[in-house]
Amino acid sequence: MKIAILPGDGIGTEIVAEAVKVLQVLDLSFETETALVGGAAYEAHGHPLPESTLALAREADAILFGAVGDWKYDKLERALRPEQAILGLRKHLGLFANFRPAICHPQLTHASSLKPELVAGLDILIIRELTGDIYFGQPRGRRVAVDGHFPGAEEAFDTMRYSRPEIERIAHVAFQAARKRHGRVTSVDKANVLETFQLWKDVVTEVHAQYPDVALDHMYVDNAAMQLVRAPKKFDVVVTGNMFGDILSDEAAMLTGSIGMLPSASLNDRHQGLYEPSHGSAPDIAGQGIANPLATILSAAMMLRYSLNQSEAAARIESAVDAVLSAGLRTADIWSEGTTKVGTREMGEAVVAALTGKTIGKTITKS
Ligand code: NAD
């Protein structure tokens, strides 16, 4: 197994270092190789995704990615901005399936804007199709309207489209992921209004015939948005298109209230994946040693489960994170009265301690 380590910018280097420590104590045999990406790569090589980094990403079984970006690059031409590295990796590796879990650890329910009983123990996996839909459909553009409500006025238009194979492959991903969880898939569409999503619904239903052990239901996107805040624990795996997934995954993430806790993954049809925290490079706190590394550590757990076929090791990491939270350790973003505030390194070391059977937070003094 080979893992490409791409820490990136800002807090990326701090949080990835902790995730690597966690991987190293698991007693698994894998090779790692680190490379620059984002602003750091631009500084060194003049491009956010240099050929050497892309070559490493291509040959690796999985990529552990920190975050990229800094406001100082905002004036660069778009192609050279750090964020282009992620888009480039998605495109070159064909990463069409985006996994965004929304997990609310019972110890952190106070961080949610919903009532604790609605979110305690929440564990949803949103699977968003990442390379199709209205974000990529052609034609698109601006023109002078020849018909519609205001002929002669300037108008803009985009094209929503999905082909049968694109829907089939994301449906397979969702059903297979459900098998590793609680065996339920909710397919979110807008089949009542959109042709694209009528095809979506038909194809997901057809693919479902190959997964009789998984339960499937269909939900319109407006209802899904409502149910996510009404009774979020009803969901197990949610599969949907690029635009609906973009919106619903952020909504679900916010149910947990803490961006520093949320991992993510983007996979291709060879199960090769890019694993990263859902948050960005947080330039406002970079270099201070206070960033929460748990989203990245949980991304490493996802990497073990979905790309490296090491579900047991993944579960060990998740249990260790749970143990650290139960021991009352918190980085500043999730801290609350009565818990112990720790920095990035102490949090990483506490997860390592939990994995190796040592006392969690032994050397940490209460703040
Ligand atoms: P951000 O996610 O970096 O930060 C938003 C807020 O959350 C900040 O206050 C930050 O301090 C806090 N935060 C984020 N992660 C945290 C963590 N692990 N621990 C504690 N607090 C944390 O979003 P932003 O400020 O809008 O963007 C900053 C830069 O990151 C921009 O250049 C943006 O383009 C980039 N970005 C990159 C990615 C990525 O690499 N995938 C994703 C989003 C944004």
Side-chain angles (χ1 to χ4, degrees), residues 150-221:
F150 295 99
E154 184 186 14
E155 69 173 10
F157 61 101
D158 300 277
T159 303
M160 177 176 272
R161 63 192 294 174
Y162 267 122
S163 64
R164 173 173 282 274
E166 282 175 296
I167 305 168
E168 280 170 352
R169 65 181 182 175
I170 195 79
H172 281 292
V173 166
F175 291 123
Q176 284 165 18
R179 278 183 170 163
K180 294 186 178 178
R181 293 172 47 93
H182 305 292
R184 285 182 289 119
V185 171
T186 302
S187 171
V188 172
D189 61 58
K190 192 71 184 168
N192 51 341
V193 180
L194 299 167
E195 288 301 327
T196 312
F197 277 90
Q198 185 59 56
L199 179 66
W200 176 281
K201 189 171 184 174
D202 295 346
V203 174
V204 170
T205 306
E206 283 169 35
V207 173
H208 179 229
Q210 297 173 45
Y211 299 87
D213 51 323
V214 178
L216 169 69
D217 68 331
H218 303 273
M219 199 177 273
Y220 295 141
V221 63

Side-chain angles (χ1 to χ4, degrees), residues 61-66 86 90 94-102 124-130 170 173 177 249 262-268 271-279 295-296 298-308 318:
D61 298 290
I63 303 155
L64 185 61
F65 191 94
I86 307 175
R90 277 182 194 163
L95 304 172
F96 68 91
N98 184 223
F99 283 41
R100 286 269 301 264
I124 308 176
L125 175 61
I126 299 205
I127 299 183
R128 164 189 172 194
E129 200 291 330
L130 205 55
I170 195 79
V173 166
S249 62
L262 295 171
S264 83
S266 305
L267 281 92
N268 64 18
H271 298 283
Q272 189 189 26
L274 181 134
Y275 296 83
E276 56 171 338
S278 294
H279 59 74
T296 314
L298 291 168
S299 300
M302 288 185 79
M303 175 176 80
L304 292 172
R305 178 171 291 118
Y306 293 112
S307 281
L308 305 179
E318 287 157 356

Side-chain angles (χ1 to χ4, degrees), residues 23 162 191 236 247:
L23 286 170
Y162 267 122
D236 178 19
I247 300 163

Side-chain angles (χ1 to χ4, degrees), residues 11 15 65-71 74 83 86 259-261 276-285 290-293 295 331 333:
I11 61 168
I15 53 183
F65 191 94
V68 291
D70 191 293
W71 302 307
D74 282 357
E83 292 79 2
I86 307 175
I259 196 160
M261 295 295 304
E276 56 171 338
S278 294
H279 59 74
S281 55
D284 54 336
I285 57 165
I290 60 170
N292 186 347
T331 41
D333 56 310

